[in-house]
Amino acid sequence: MSKRPNMLTQFNTALDGAIRVVEKLRQLQGQSIAPKKVVSNDIVAGDVDIISIDYTSLDSSKTYDFSNQVKLINIYENIRKPAIFAELEVADPAAILQEVDMRPGDFITISFKTSKSETEPTTYVLAITDIVNLSMKSNLKMQTYTIALASPEVLRNSVTLMSLKFKDSVSNAVRKIFDNYIKTDKKVNIDGTRSIEDMVPFTSLRPFAAINHMIRYAYSSKYKSSAYVFFENKNGYQFTSIEKLIKQGVDSQKKGNFTTDKEFFYDSATKESVKDVNLRNIIALKQISYGSFSDSSKVANMVNTYDFTRGNYTSFLFTAGKEEFELLSDKTSTLNKSAFDQSFGKLTKNIEFVPMSSDVTDKNLAEYLAKRKGFSHFLDQDIMHILVYGDTELTVGNVIKCTIANPASFESNQAKSAQKSGLYLVYSLRHMILNTDRPQHMISMELHRNKPLKDLEN
């Protein structure tokens, strides 16, 4: 996936501003900030129940309830990251930081749930990795700082070096790393891989880095792309293929005649009255990329390998449209596809050179890599960022349904955009919880297109 740091930074800045605008409006409406949370019987979209924000020292000798000091909670999940990260913005008038002698390696437990929901609270147990942005107010009666947090496995990973060699399937090797080095109590889902690999020895490599390295050699017997990912979400650690995540999500969406709880709407109904606001409204939407032109072509990937053990040079060209992959549709084309392919479809779009050794590497490496790159090309064409009201059920790896109105009929809400509406894979997610007298929860997500809505309804 291509990096867009400037766009992402601008988007996150806009989201921060949106949260503060909501808080300012509530203050202007007479909802004064009180030390104790006010409970209202009128539940509106974005309401969240903060169950606890508890500090515990590494040796468990000190504990503290931080629920009144923490003003803003940011929790990050990403399908390309092997851990969950978080930040807490703290306003501390009682010098709790010094009193408990808070240090990296101590723990903070955050538990919350969507108000009036019937689901269990979402709970994150995170380790402190740093304390930054410490500042003292001019009257010396208040200090503010940011507590940086990460999954406890990050700390264990940072102090563990592996020097060993595997001769096993990649999935079994990943399991052994979790059992012998990471040693987590969380649920670990590891999907099986096809071939037996005689891996190059790992020397002074950390567990997470070793797993990320082995993703390159993980081949699926069911999904052509073999596009494996290693990440953590609210359900635990996942070593799985993106195509499997998509299949599970699509199958879930199809049940019940396309009625699903994870369906979001972007229209103008909320302009009429605040009463029209509901949990599934898309507050803001930003299209990052829209690949309808490339979508109509076939993608060609050339992978060249050189066997430095035997001196052999091989080349593999994979040219395929979406139909090559079980879950990605090719029905979105509005161009003359045959003419387009005749002119552009056979051109090599991506070329990669890979050194290898036939003694330790699968001889079909070039084929696997070419197909994987083709799959990634299609999945990364349609990307958008959305801002929605908080929902503790959402997590990265979910497939959600977005219904977006056509610009021409936006005000009447009569027609949906077939190009933008459909199912999307949640690639990254950020919980933003404003902790005031009435806590508010929003979520920003990066979504990648997998199936347009009209393909599912055909």
Side-chain angles (χ1 to χ4, degrees):
M1 184 181 70
S2 59
K3 296 182 179 179
R4 301 175 176 84
N6 292 334
M7 286 186 179
L8 186 57
T9 300
Q10 294 172 4
F11 188 72
N12 285 338
T13 300
L15 295 179
D16 288 336
I19 280 188
R20 287 174 170 80
V21 167
V22 170
E23 166 59 11
K24 186 64 177 177
L25 289 173
R26 291 191 178 280
Q27 291 185 39
L28 292 175
Q29 291 169 354
Q31 298 177 6
S32 60
I33 296 177
K36 186 176 181 180
K37 304 296 181 291
V38 176
V39 179
S40 171
N41 291 326
D42 300 324
I43 300 301
V44 298
D47 282 351
V48 61
D49 298 330
I50 299 178
I51 311 301
S52 64
I53 308 174
D54 294 332
Y55 161 83
T56 306
S57 62
L58 181 60
D59 60 4
S60 301
S61 63
K62 299 177 182 178
T63 60
Y64 189 81
D65 179 1
F66 257 92
S67 57
N68 286 328
Q69 281 74 28
V70 173
K71 301 306 177 186
L72 181 64
I73 303 170
N74 286 300
I75 301 174
Y76 305 88
E77 297 180 14
N78 193 307
I79 207 170
R80 298 293 186 187
K81 301 291 184 182
I84 293 171
F85 298 89
E87 294 173 336
L88 305 181
E89 293 187 13
V90 181
D92 181 2
I96 304 302
L97 176 65
Q98 292 77 15
E99 180 181 327
V100 300
D101 192 23
M102 186 183 300
R103 296 177 180 275
D106 295 344
F107 298 95
I108 289 184
T109 302
I110 306 167
S111 183
F112 57 94
K113 64 175 292 187
T114 304
S115 294
K116 297 296 184 180
S117 68
E118 298 178 357
T119 60
E120 293 295 320
T122 293
T123 300
Y124 295 95
V125 180
L126 302 169
I128 297 173
T129 59
D130 204 354
I131 300 170
V132 297
N133 303 327
L134 180 62
S135 64
M136 189 73 69
K137 300 299 181 183
S138 57
N139 58 11
L140 301 181
K141 293 183 179 181
M142 175 74 73
Q143 61 179 348
T144 60
Y145 47 89
T146 301
I147 303 174
L149 304 165
S151 301
E153 292 79 9
V154 169
L155 298 183
R156 191 174 298 115
N157 174 75
S158 67
V159 297
T160 304
L161 290 174
M162 297 169 34
S163 294
L164 70 166
K165 182 178 181 179
F166 289 110
K167 188 173 183 178
D168 205 342
S169 65
V170 170
S171 53
N172 286 342
V174 172
R175 175 66 66 183
K176 290 176 182 177
I177 291 175
F178 265 95
D179 291 344
N180 299 328
Y181 296 94
I182 299 177
K183 300 178 180 178
T184 182
D185 294 329
K186 298 173 183 174
K187 182 180 179 180
V188 180
N189 172 51
I190 299 174
D191 287 341
T193 55
R194 186 173 66 183
S195 59
I196 301 297
E197 296 293 334
D198 189 0
M199 303 293 293
V200 175
F202 295 133
T203 303
S204 299
L205 201 60
R206 304 200 185 279
F208 285 171
I211 294 175
N212 281 324
H213 174 75
M214 287 190 289
I215 284 177
R216 188 182 185 92
Y217 305 97
Y219 311 129
S220 171
S221 59
K222 185 174 182 180
Y223 302 107
K224 290 184 179 181
S225 71
S226 294
Y228 278 79
V229 285
F230 169 49
F231 64 98
E232 183 188 4
N233 62 13
K234 62 175 293 221
N235 300 319
Y237 278 94
Q238 315 293 329
F239 184 87
T240 186
S241 70
I242 295 179
E243 276 192 89
K244 182 175 180 179
L245 291 174
I246 293 173
K247 177 173 174 53
Q248 290 175 338
V250 171
D251 289 347
S252 175
Q253 294 281 344
K254 284 184 176 180
K255 293 177 180 177
N257 194 25
F258 301 103
T259 58
T260 172
D261 190 45
K262 295 185 176 66
E263 182 174 1
F264 296 84
F265 300 86
Y266 189 55
D267 54 37
S268 59
T270 56
K271 293 181 180 179
E272 304 300 326
S273 171
V274 70
K275 295 180 180 179
D276 293 322
V277 176
N278 64 68
L279 187 64
R280 292 296 178 244
N281 283 127
I282 297 176
I283 306 169
L285 181 151
K286 183 178 180 67
Q287 192 80 34
I288 302 301
S289 69
Y290 183 60
S292 59
F293 183 77
S294 298
D295 203 41
S296 301
S297 73
K298 292 188 175 184
V299 61
N301 288 284
M302 173 77 76
V303 175
N304 303 311
T305 61
Y306 177 73
D307 184 349
F308 55 81
T309 302
R310 302 181 181 181
N312 296 333
Y313 178 87
T314 61
S315 180
F316 185 87
L317 175 63
F318 176 70
T319 304
K322 283 187 173 184
E323 66 273 6
E324 289 291 330
F325 303 110
E326 177 183 352
L327 299 168
L328 296 180
S329 171
D330 197 34
K331 298 179 181 178
T332 58
S333 175
T334 56
L335 301 179
N336 184 329
K337 182 170 174 52
S338 59
F340 185 92
D341 287 344
Q342 201 170 40
S343 300
F344 301 102
K346 302 301 182 182
L347 297 179
T348 300
K349 306 291 182 61
N350 302 293
I351 301 177
E352 184 174 0
F353 176 77
V354 181
M356 59 172 283
S357 171
S358 56
D359 292 338
V360 295
T361 307
D362 193 300
K363 63 181 180 180
N364 296 318
L365 176 63
E367 178 182 351
Y368 295 138
L369 292 180
K371 290 181 178 179
R372 188 176 301 172
K373 288 172 68 68
F375 174 80
S376 298
H377 169 81
F378 286 124
L379 189 62
D380 291 348
Q381 280 187 350
D382 294 340
I383 305 173
M384 68 179 182
H385 289 163
I386 66 171
L387 176 67
V388 299
Y389 292 104
D391 177 7
T392 49
E393 285 293 289
L394 292 172
T395 192
V396 292
N398 284 163
V399 169
I400 67 173
K401 183 177 179 181
C402 294
T403 300
I404 301 168
N406 268 324
S409 58
F410 194 78
E411 294 300 328
S412 61
N413 302 311
Q414 293 179 349
K416 57 193 172 189
S417 168
Q419 285 74 30
K420 292 185 179 181
S421 298
L423 300 185
Y424 287 82
L425 178 66
V426 180
Y427 247 61
S428 65
L429 175 151
R430 175 187 177 191
H431 293 281
M432 299 171 288
I433 301 175
L434 193 63
N435 187 21
T436 63
D437 60 320
R438 185 167 184 165
Q440 290 293 290
H441 182 198
M442 296 185 192
I443 296 177
S444 65
M445 292 183 284
E446 179 180 317
L447 308 177
H448 289 228
R449 168 72 68 88
N450 100 32
K451 267 184 181 288
L453 186 62
K454 63 179 181 179
D455 291 353
L456 291 173
E457 294 175 341
N458 287 341

